[in-house]
Structures are given as C-alpha cells and as structure tokens.
Amino acid sequence: MKIFIDADACPVKDEIRELAKKYDLPMTFVASYNHFSVNLPAGEEWVFVDTDKESADMRILNLAKSGDIVVTQDIGLASMLIAKDVATFSNRGEEYRESEMAMMLDMRYLHAKERRQGKYSKGPRAMSFQDNENFLHKLDTFIKARL
C-alpha cells in the first residue's frame, strides 16, 4: 500500500506525513513544476509534472495501483482511480465511492456549466482544524483496517 497525494493544493500534507510515518507507508507527492522548491522535506518522494491542467492527475493515474490510496480534491481523477480499485479520499476525509460517483460527476458538470454562464458560487468553505482532525481520523481508520 502506497499513498499518493495530489499535492498542488492539498491542505492535509502534514496529516498524511504523520500517518505514513506511523504505519511506515511510502508516499509520493505529485505536483506541477510551479510548486517546486529546493526546501522540500528530506526523504520525501516528490514527482513534478508540467503545468498543464491534467498533468498531475494523469501521472497519479499512471502510478497508482490496486490497493493504493490517493488523496485528491479532483472528482474526475477519483472516478478513474476507483475503477482501478484505488482507495480515494478528499482532503476532508470523505472516501469517494463508486455508488456516489455518477451524482458527483453530474454536479461537477452542472457547476462548470453555471460558471461558463457567469454564475459563480462561493466555493468550498475554508478548511478548519476539525476538518483536518476528521481527515486524520478517517484515513487512520481506513489504513488500520487494511493492515
């Protein structure tokens, strides 16, 4: 079991690091070259990709295998990973499930259609301490059940 992180905008990197260390699981952060830094934590695996819109998603899709875990906010990526039997979580700790994916993709389409028409919503609420704790608890519970 390996953890892959869609790292460009992931707000729970520290929680993932904590769990990877606790269970001695390898993890790979995938980000665009825009997020490259010489000050990345030592010993972590970072994969950098072009800045094209779907580059990080495609790299994660190619790297992740059945039994792995991916943390992403991208519903489209999650839908493809679920088809590969990859456990996929949002940054709030919600596990993406195949039974909910059609509805989630439909909602994503409708929101994108509204944005193209100039209608913008507030977007997701800011992450709270409780959201981070919820993520940590849910992913911890998931990993414990699989080991």
Side-chain angles (χ1 to χ4, degrees), residues 40-57:
L40 295 172
E44 289 185 355
E45 182 179 0
W46 282 78
V47 174
F48 291 97
V49 297
D50 289 336
T51 58
D52 294 337
K53 186 177 180 204
E54 306 298 332
S55 293
D57 297 346

Side-chain angles (χ1 to χ4, degrees), residues 84-142:
K84 290 180 66 171
D85 193 33
V86 174
T88 310
F89 287 84
S90 75
N91 60 352
R92 296 183 192 273
E94 298 138 352
E95 184 177 1
Y96 294 106
R97 301 190 183 283
E98 187 173 0
S99 60
E100 301 163 347
M101 199 48 60
M103 185 263 316
M104 293 176 84
L105 289 168
D106 285 345
M107 293 300 294
R108 181 182 78 156
Y109 168 75
L110 292 173
H111 289 210
K113 187 176 175 182
E114 287 177 354
R115 285 191 301 276
R116 285 192 303 272
Q117 295 171 350
K119 300 173 188 170
Y120 294 94
S121 65
K122 292 182 185 178
R125 63 178 169 72
M127 289 284 289
S128 68
F129 174 78
Q130 188 58 46
D131 290 326
N132 289 39
E133 288 296 308
N134 184 54
F135 172 84
L136 186 62
H137 172 72
K138 287 190 176 181
L139 193 55
D140 186 46
T141 301
F142 179 86

Side-chain angles (χ1 to χ4, degrees), residues 37 67 71 74 103 142:
S37 170
V71 178
D74 188 304
M103 185 263 316
F142 179 86

